[in-house]
Each structure stands twice: as C-alpha cells, then as structure tokens.
Amino acid sequence: FLKDFSTNKTYRVINFIQNLLNLNTYQDAVNRINEDLYNNFTEVQYNLHINKNNIYSSKKGSSRYSIRITKRQWLEHDIDYWNSYGVNLDMLKYCNVIPLEYYYLYDGEPTQQNLLYTFKANKWAYAYREVLENRIMYKIYQPYSQKYKWTSSFNSNVISLINKIPKQGDILCICSSVKDSLCLWCNLNIPAICPQGEGYALPQELISNLKERYKQIYIFYDNDKAGIEDAEKASQQTGLPYIVLPEINHCKDISDLYKSLNNKTEFINTIRKLFNHD
C-alpha cells in the first residue's frame, strides 16, 4: 500500500491507479490494468481478480500487514558491508539484525490463507526485528535493490532498538535510522534509538521515561534541510537539544560520514567534539 503524505490518504495499488488516472470505479482500474498488461505482454493474457473486501483502509479495525522471514548465515560480503559503516558482527547480532534468504508478506496475521507474496531476498538483504505489544515485526532493508530497498510491517509506534539500550546511562541519542544508530553505538559506545521517520512525533511518555534513565539525551538527525527542520521541531516538542552533523564530504548522516572518512579515529574525534566531551 502507499500513503500520500500531502493529502494523508492511503491506497492499495488498485485504488491508487484509479485515483491517478481519474477512473470512475474500482472495476475500471482493474480493467485498465488488464488491458495494459495484455497490450504489453501479448503472448499471455493476464486476468487480474482482486477481492474488494481486502482493500486496505486506515480506519480502525483494518487489516495490518505482517512479515515473516527465512534467515541465512552471516557471510563475508555481509560483514564487509556493515564494517564499511563501522558496525561489527557482535553489535548486529545483539541488535537483532538478521541476514535473509526469503521474506513473506501477509495481509493481516501470518497464516497461509493471508500470504500475499514470497520474495527471494537480494544478496545483501537484512531484517530489523522488533517486538511491540507482544507482536514480532520486521523491517526489510536491501541497500542495493532498485525496487524493494525497504519493506516494513513496522508502524509509527515502533522505536527501533528501544528494547536493546541499557536501563540507564550518561548519554543517549535519537538518530534517523538503525544504521546510524548502530554506527554511533558501535564506535563511540553511545547507545541510540530511532523512530520510523524524522518527521514522526516522539511520544511524550517515552521521552519522560528516557529522561529519568539518562543524564543527557540528544536528537541527532540528518544534516540536510529536512533533517535539521525535523530536529528543531522535535527539540521544541521534547525539550531535548539537537546536534547537527558537520558538512564533510557532502555526507548527510552518521554512517555515511564513517564510510566517507574511512578512518575510525578521525570519525570518533569528529563526533566527540559535538558532545563536548572526551
């Protein structure tokens, strides 16, 4: 499904095509897809049949997608990829980052009847695993995929890595992504969490809880225009200070800076200056 953030409308693909092409009915959209498929693939005529009762709605009680995975062993190319961002295998395993062989998308609960698609994962494919309200959820990350870089069953309430950070400590960061969080944590021993988007509001109850557990908490988003604006907004809402990554080698986020510098000591020294501590 797709969400248009400018109108706050949510679509399944058929409804999206209906809206995009200004078609009168849902069936008109189905007919148009069948016509286009037939014209483009003349050797086989496709017949598309969709159950209208399964159309996604943002209303309460609507079905929610879930993902299940088939994992594989960590291989050398996986370790090389994450090492280029300063993240080691121990940290990946601790934070429930899982290399994939296959992943499966379900409409609702993960039952055979609800299975929508089975995907063969890319050579570089990883699942981020989180548990919220006793429900296991996955977010699939395929960094080199042109079509399916991200596939997620996370909702806006998921705060990645929240179940992995220490119960208390001196410093905690709220970053833009899992990769940035892992890079910061692995290299500077500063635990980090991240929402599912920089523009998502941080729950006040969560912030109050974290303030009781950590002496200092920083918002550390990307240094592009959108990231800085979202950091400023989050800072105003939470009362937390924010950090802006320096503009070095056109890098907009923490992990890209590590990879660009290709020097762990230089990276650590650059980030430490932002916290005013050694």
Side-chain angles (χ1 to χ4, degrees):
F1 66 91
L2 309 91
K3 180 169 183 178
D4 182 348
F5 285 94
S6 63
T7 63
N8 207 35
K9 291 182 179 179
T10 306
Y11 305 95
R12 283 288 292 269
V13 65
I14 309 298
N15 303 97
F16 175 74
I17 291 172
Q18 178 185 344
N19 183 74
L20 179 70
L21 300 180
N22 294 316
L23 301 174
N24 292 326
T25 67
Y26 175 90
Q27 189 59 48
D28 288 339
V30 172
N31 293 340
R32 175 61 181 272
I33 293 170
N34 278 326
E35 179 183 346
D36 289 349
L37 286 172
Y38 181 74
N39 289 336
N40 285 285
F41 302 97
T42 55
E43 293 182 3
V44 179
Q45 181 171 2
Y46 291 80
N47 242 327
L48 182 66
H49 299 285
I50 301 293
N51 183 352
K52 295 181 183 180
N53 294 327
N54 287 335
I55 298 306
Y56 178 84
S57 168
S58 59
K59 296 179 182 179
K60 287 185 177 180
S62 62
S63 63
R64 296 197 300 178
Y65 288 93
S66 56
I67 292 173
R68 288 297 179 265
I69 65 170
T70 298
K71 63 182 180 179
R72 58 171 173 78
Q73 296 297 315
W74 285 99
L75 301 174
E76 186 175 352
H77 70 270
D78 302 311
I79 296 170
D80 289 343
Y81 173 80
W82 287 100
N83 280 346
S84 72
Y85 295 101
V87 183
N88 61 43
L89 186 57
D90 288 341
M91 179 61 75
L92 292 166
K93 290 181 177 180
Y94 173 71
C95 291
N96 292 331
V97 179
I98 305 164
L100 300 182
E101 188 74 31
Y102 294 92
Y103 62 100
Y104 314 91
L105 182 65
Y106 297 85
D107 188 0
E109 292 301 313
T111 65
Q112 187 60 41
Q113 292 76 17
N114 292 338
L115 179 63
L116 293 176
Y117 301 105
T118 297
F119 295 93
K120 177 70 169 70
N122 285 11
K123 180 178 179 179
W124 289 268
Y126 312 97
Y128 301 153
R129 180 182 184 272
E130 294 290 344
V131 178
L132 180 66
E133 297 174 351
N134 296 318
R135 181 170 178 243
I136 297 174
M137 292 180 281
Y138 295 99
K139 186 173 186 176
I140 310 302
Y141 173 48
Q142 301 186 110
Y144 300 121
S145 173
Q146 297 299 313
K147 293 180 65 177
Y148 301 112
K149 183 174 182 179
W150 296 103
T151 306
S152 179
S153 65
F154 288 3
N155 59 43
S156 59
N157 295 322
V158 175
I159 305 296
S160 292
L161 305 179
I162 190 66
N163 297 317
K164 291 298 182 179
I165 59 174
K167 291 184 178 180
Q168 58 187 16
D170 292 329
I171 300 177
L172 175 73
C173 279
I174 303 173
C175 297
S176 298
S177 69
V178 169
K179 189 162 69 172
D180 287 346
S181 300
L182 295 176
C183 179
L184 185 69
W185 194 348
C186 203
N187 291 283
L188 285 96
N189 198 29
I190 296 175
I193 58 176
C194 62
Q196 299 313 304
E198 291 175 334
Y200 282 55
L202 298 166
Q204 191 56 52
E205 183 178 353
L206 170 69
I207 298 302
S208 297
N209 175 270
L210 293 174
K211 286 180 177 179
E212 294 177 358
R213 295 164 53 188
Y214 290 87
K215 296 177 182 178
Q216 295 175 295
I217 304 173
Y218 297 93
I219 298 167
F220 200 169
Y221 288 170
D222 293 354
N223 66 4
D224 57 5
K225 183 175 183 293
I228 293 173
E229 289 176 353
D230 287 332
E232 290 174 345
K233 182 179 179 181
S235 179
Q236 293 171 359
Q237 293 172 342
T238 61
L240 299 175
Y242 67 93
I243 293 173
V244 177
L245 191 73
E247 295 184 7
I248 300 174
N249 299 340
H250 305 289
C251 297
K252 73 171 186 175
D253 60 41
I254 297 167
S255 55
D256 282 346
L257 179 61
Y258 184 98
K259 186 173 183 178
S260 176
L261 291 175
N262 195 28
N263 184 311
K264 182 172 182 175
T265 300
E266 185 178 355
F267 172 80
I268 291 173
N269 291 337
T270 300
I271 300 299
R272 274 182 173 170
K273 292 177 183 178
L274 303 177
F275 293 98
N276 296 317
H277 74 92
D278 296 322

